[in-house]
């Protein structure tokens, strides 16, 4: 089988730069991010014909370490991820196939929202960081309804807590959590909230 190599236009070629695909759907559309020569992150979509569209979430910062990061895309071509603004605050976003972008912050997020996965129904999962720097899971439906949750045993200290990373068509969520000792543990949460 042939291997096709590609780089998003504008991607840097130095250390910690370049093109990083993170998702592909059944149609063969690829989504991901790239770092430019200044160290700014940008989102991209690579269509089946090889054409590449770059995009930025509104209010993305333009300094090194800021910008738009794409992590997941569903079968309809809707993608999700997060962006760092000019103050290095993180916010979630959803991008429709036509290019429209909706940004969001999970309830209780005072230090950032990180979106990691989107399923076919358009439900996004990820985590948010509260004012004490602890992390909590969230699920956001296509109409903007949120459910937030914590895995029993998850730590409540700085950089501890619940981090959902994937969801499927049934609404099941998988991820991991940090306990109070900083150890990692996996979890599965069903659509009815059972962990």
């Amino acid at each position: 089988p042939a291997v096709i190599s590609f780089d998003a236009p504008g991607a840097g070629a130095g250390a910690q730069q370049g093109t990083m695909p993170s998702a592909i759907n059944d149609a063969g559309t690829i989504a991901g991010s790239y770092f430019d020569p200044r160290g700014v992150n940008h989102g991209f979509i690579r269509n089946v014909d090889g054409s590449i569209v770059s995009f930025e979430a509104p209010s993305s910062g333009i300094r090194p370490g800021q910008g738009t990061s794409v992590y997941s895309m569903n079968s309809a071509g809707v993608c999700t991820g997060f962006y760092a603004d000019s103050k290095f605050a993180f916010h979630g976003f959803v991008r429709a196939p036509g290019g429209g972008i909706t940004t969001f912050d999970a309830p209780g997020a005072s230090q950032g929202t990180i979106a990691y996965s989107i399923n076919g129904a358009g439900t996004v999962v990820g985590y948010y960081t509260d004012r004490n720097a602890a992390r909590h899971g969230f699920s956001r439906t296509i109409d903007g309804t949120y459910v937030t949750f914590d895995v029993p045993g998850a730590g409540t200290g700085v950089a501890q807590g619940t981090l959902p990373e994937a969801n499927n068509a049934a609404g099941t969520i998988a991820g991991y959590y940090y306990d109070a000792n900083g150890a990692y543990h996996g979890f599965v949460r069903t659509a009815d909230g059972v962990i």
Side-chain angles (χ1 to χ4, degrees), residues 13-167:
Q16 305 300 310
Q17 300 172 6
T19 303
M20 299 170 295
S22 56
I24 185 169
N25 65 15
D26 291 339
T29 303
I30 297 169
S33 312
Y34 68 92
F35 280 99
D36 68 21
R38 297 175 298 136
V40 180
N41 215 16
H42 309 271
F44 77 86
I45 302 292
R46 183 183 187 272
N47 298 303
V48 178
D49 64 6
S51 61
I52 297 176
V53 177
S54 297
F55 67 91
E56 316 296 333
S59 301
S60 287
I62 57 171
R63 293 174 19 212
Q66 297 175 349
T68 301
S69 299
V70 179
Y71 275 88
S72 181
M73 179 177 52
N74 68 17
S75 57
V78 181
C79 61
T80 193
F82 59 91
Y83 67 94
D85 66 20
S86 61
K87 297 179 181 177
F88 290 96
F90 295 100
H91 312 273
F93 74 86
V94 174
R95 181 188 185 273
I101 297 176
T102 301
T103 62
F104 61 87
D105 293 295
S110 62
Q111 294 190 32
T113 298
I114 305 291
Y116 272 130
S117 181
I118 186 168
N119 67 13
T123 299
V124 174
V125 299
Y127 72 88
Y128 67 93
T129 305
D130 68 20
R131 60 187 173 89
N132 297 316
R135 297 163 176 170
H136 310 272
F138 76 84
S139 175
R140 179 189 185 273
T141 60
I142 196 167
D143 67 358
T145 301
Y146 288 89
V147 172
T148 61
F149 63 93
D150 295 296
V151 174
T156 58
V158 173
Q160 296 174 356
T162 301
L163 292 88
E165 292 225 335
N167 61 331

